[in-house]
Amino acid sequence: MLDDSIKHPQQTSALPSPFFKRSDGIYLAKILKDNEEIEVWLCADISVVGDACDGSGKNWGRIIDFSDRSGASHRLFLTLADLTGAPNKVLGRLSDHGLRFNRCKAAREGILDLLNEWPTEQRFLVTNKPGWASAACDAFIMDASRIIGNPRVHFMGDTTDISTGSASCGNVDAWKAEVGLKCVGNPVLIASVSLAFCGPLLDMLCIDSFGLHLRGSSSCGKSTALNVAISVWGGPERMSSWRTTANALEPTAASMNSTLLALDELGQVSGKDAFDAAYTLGNGQGKRRANAAGRGTPPLRWRVPVLSSGEITLAEKIAESGQKTMTGQEVRIIDVAADAGKFGAFEEIHSAISPAQFAEHLKASAKNTYGLAGPIFVTKYLEKSEGWKSGLHDKVDRIAKLFLSELTEPADGPIQRVAANFALIATAGELASLWGITGWPKGAAIEAARQLFKAWVDRHLAVTNTAELVWLPKLEVFLGGAIGSGVFAADASAMQNEFGFWTDTFVFLNDLAWSKAFGPTHQTEAAKALAELGILGKDGKHFRAKIPRTLGNRERLYRLRMSLLGAEVRLQMTATESSTHHTTT
């Protein structure tokens, strides 16, 4: 059904001859063979609003308006291919939507003639994607009955169980009081809600999908943050789960286009599926598949911010399958420590007697009042001038530069990209506050994004520098004591050495040596870090590589690149070889 905003946006043209209208519907004036003129009732009142096609200028058809038997309004898109074919398909669709019509052959054919010949001047865009209907960003589709902006757009997508959560409940003042204002003083909540407001900005600024992963212990408030963010666009039905495959995630992401995709509980998915899903989400489009006729269908596409939760990082989940996250995945799904606050995900619980009560109040409020803030955000944007819209990029860039200027370390590529993403989150939150939607004080969204960005940078630098600052020094200390007394130059008895041996290009260490160097609890962590630095040479997924055939039975040992070790270690090896040679001679 249509809401009042899009029932009849334009006046329809007069009926073509020989059709005419009466109070009970539309008639056809038909002349029989004996020149007798009769009137044939065709159907209840119906009108052709305009012609339409998709964004590529294909799939032409006509937009039809009518009311069903209970008086509810309907709008359908009927393709010209169907309208020029047999009546059954078109009449079947009209019947499914409640149109009353005459079943006789003359009436059935007359209805198709009417719909084909009705003159129109209006042109519509048809799309099966919610969110922004086109690159012009002048019409925003919530669902088939709610289109914000340009009314000459028709949504013909499927309304899934999830997208039905785009319905609204309550009023925005109640949402502001019971949800928005409760976020004040809580960076994780403010950033999560601000991320939800980013949805419409992605297409405006041509920015790919990205998101936040809220990582923390059980019951720390992660799911509460997801519920609060979801309420910007709709009800709790919009909550999705990580427990899916990349293929199944495609229609879910597309149905949330330009709004927010919330994925709860990363722990429920396998490492491989998490890797595939993260790649798919960041790629912004699904696979190209064949239809029943064997022809390729256009892939699903989306630009959507993602809010995720779990007790471990995305990188740790993916590592369970033996894979490694790519840099692009790590900066698109940004890890946020959601349990580092005074009360887990919360710093301020306002008047609640406990963090648990605060969380329950937020969840209940988000279930009672929802689906209002996001559409108002879109409406406010559409009211702005083109000059203001074109300056949005500059606003985001200024905030990103502000965040980067406060760092004490040089910003590498990942840091710069994450700064840009947090700057967009801050911009969206500040706009929502400026437009009176959230109730937050000026600068609250910027400060929340700044805090989370700084925490992410600290962790990023710690992980990046761990190999050079922690594990490489430990390795070189061990080698300094083991060269010549457990690690020797390779020879026929190399495998009998206590710790390992070296060749012209590599140092090979056994499990005992690795445990001695890094301790029994940090062996895998050290191997990962040294492999990322390139010092440890992996063999496929294995941290240990097979030794040269000339030295034994191809056992697997830790293989270290000689050229990347410290100069002192290499000099010590050279001296040991020289000493051994002189002793032998």
Side-chain angles (χ1 to χ4, degrees), residues 197-265:
F197 286 117
C198 283
L201 301 183
L202 297 183
D203 267 319
M204 300 173 196
L205 301 175
C206 295
I207 294 175
D208 291 333
S209 301
F210 76 98
L212 302 178
H213 174 65
L214 306 183
R215 167 184 48 82
S217 57
S218 177
S219 301
C220 73
K222 306 184 301 294
S223 294
T224 300
L226 263 67
N227 277 282
V228 168
I230 285 171
S231 70
V232 170
W233 292 105
E237 298 89 352
R238 294 178 69 89
M239 179 76 80
S240 301
S241 171
W242 269 105
R243 191 175 184 180
T244 186
T245 63
N247 287 343
L249 193 58
E250 289 179 16
T252 303
S255 73
M256 300 298 174
N257 181 59
S258 301
T259 58
L260 176 73
L261 173 61
L263 296 172
D264 202 12
E265 295 300 337

Side-chain angles (χ1 to χ4, degrees), residues 49-229:
V49 181
D51 294 309
C53 65
D54 63 23
S56 65
K58 299 179 180 178
N59 301 312
W60 280 88
R62 314 206 86 184
I63 303 294
I64 314 297
D65 275 1
F66 60 92
S67 297
D68 63 23
R69 298 165 192 265
S70 64
S73 298
H74 292 264
R75 174 167 290 176
L76 294 182
F77 171 69
L78 302 178
T79 67
L80 293 184
D82 290 339
L83 287 170
T84 54
N88 289 351
K89 188 171 184 179
V90 169
L91 295 177
R93 286 195 65 198
L94 295 172
S95 181
D96 283 346
H97 287 79
L99 178 71
R100 294 182 301 109
F101 59 87
N102 191 335
R103 306 282 171 167
C104 77
K105 181 179 180 181
R108 292 162 63 88
E109 292 176 349
I111 292 173
L112 258 66
D113 290 339
L114 169 69
L115 298 180
N116 274 302
E117 296 171 14
W118 198 312
T120 65
E121 296 180 358
Q122 307 297 336
R123 295 293 180 268
F124 284 73
L125 171 72
V126 292
T127 179
N128 59 3
K129 186 175 69 172
W132 292 116
S134 69
C137 293
D138 62 351
F140 193 93
I141 299 170
M142 291 298 298
D143 53 41
S145 66
R146 284 202 296 169
I147 298 176
I148 306 168
N150 184 358
R152 295 183 189 176
V153 171
H154 177 73
F155 178 62
M156 58 181 185
D158 293 330
T159 303
T160 66
D161 291 338
I162 294 174
S163 63
T164 56
S166 63
S168 60
C169 180
N171 63 78
V172 72
D173 289 334
W175 183 86
K176 184 193 301 184
E178 299 302 324
V179 178
L181 284 171
K182 301 297 182 184
C183 296
V184 174
N186 293 293
V188 170
L189 294 181
I190 287 181
S192 298
V193 172
S194 297
L195 179 69
F197 286 117
C198 283
L201 301 183
L202 297 183
D203 267 319
M204 300 173 196
L205 301 175
C206 295
I207 294 175
D208 291 333
S209 301
F210 76 98
L212 302 178
H213 174 65
L214 306 183
R215 167 184 48 82
S217 57
S218 177
S219 301
C220 73
K222 306 184 301 294
S223 294
T224 300
L226 263 67
N227 277 282
V228 168

Side-chain angles (χ1 to χ4, degrees), residues 185-442:
N186 293 293
V188 170
L189 294 181
I190 287 181
S192 298
V193 172
S194 297
L195 179 69
F197 286 117
C198 283
L201 301 183
L202 297 183
D203 267 319
M204 300 173 196
L205 301 175
C206 295
I207 294 175
D208 291 333
S209 301
F210 76 98
L212 302 178
H213 174 65
L214 306 183
R215 167 184 48 82
S217 57
S218 177
S219 301
C220 73
K222 306 184 301 294
S223 294
T224 300
L226 263 67
N227 277 282
V228 168
I230 285 171
S231 70
V232 170
W233 292 105
E237 298 89 352
R238 294 178 69 89
M239 179 76 80
S240 301
S241 171
W242 269 105
R243 191 175 184 180
T244 186
T245 63
N247 287 343
L249 193 58
E250 289 179 16
T252 303
S255 73
M256 300 298 174
N257 181 59
S258 301
T259 58
L260 176 73
L261 173 61
L263 296 172
D264 202 12
E265 295 300 337
L266 177 62
Q268 295 181 353
V269 69
S270 70
K272 180 182 182 304
D273 284 338
F275 179 90
D276 293 341
Y279 180 83
T280 297
L281 288 175
N283 197 36
Q285 71 175 45
K287 297 176 182 177
R288 187 177 178 86
R289 295 178 171 86
N291 58 20
R295 298 187 182 92
T297 58
L300 294 171
R301 298 180 184 275
W302 57 84
R303 274 195 174 112
V304 63
V306 180
L307 187 61
S308 162
S309 73
E311 295 186 19
I312 60 175
T313 68
L314 180 62
E316 289 170 332
K317 169 54 67 175
I318 290 174
E320 292 178 0
S321 65
Q323 295 173 287
K324 180 180 179 296
T325 52
M326 296 181 287
T327 301
Q329 292 170 320
E330 293 176 350
V331 300
R332 283 177 177 167
I333 308 295
I334 304 165
D335 186 72
V336 171
D339 56 358
K342 184 178 180 181
F343 305 106
F346 316 127
E347 295 283 357
E348 171 61 61
I349 60 174
H350 297 274
S351 58
I353 62 174
S354 68
Q357 186 192 60
F358 180 65
E360 288 305 315
H361 173 80
L362 275 177
K363 287 182 179 179
S365 298
K367 289 180 180 179
N368 292 331
T369 309
Y370 55 78
L372 301 156
I376 292 175
F377 185 88
V378 172
T379 302
K380 293 290 186 182
Y381 167 82
L382 289 172
E383 293 172 354
K384 295 298 180 181
S385 67
E386 290 303 317
W388 181 92
K389 295 173 185 177
S390 63
L392 200 55
H393 260 300
D394 293 337
K395 298 179 193 296
V396 177
D397 288 343
R398 283 196 297 270
I399 295 176
K401 290 176 180 177
L402 171 66
F403 290 167
L404 292 171
S405 69
E406 297 173 345
L407 300 180
T408 57
E409 298 280 344
D412 59 17
I415 290 177
Q416 293 179 37
R417 290 180 63 184
V418 171
N421 289 337
F422 271 115
L424 181 60
I425 291 172
T427 300
E430 290 298 319
L431 288 176
S433 300
L434 177 66
W435 294 337
I437 301 172
T438 65
W440 304 339
K442 182 179 180 180

Side-chain angles (χ1 to χ4, degrees), residues 489-511:
D491 58 18
S493 60
M495 289 303 298
Q496 298 177 19
N497 296 338
E498 182 179 9
F499 297 131
F501 55 89
W502 70 83
T503 65
D504 290 339
T505 53
F506 295 106
V507 177
F508 290 88
L509 298 179
N510 57 29
D511 290 346

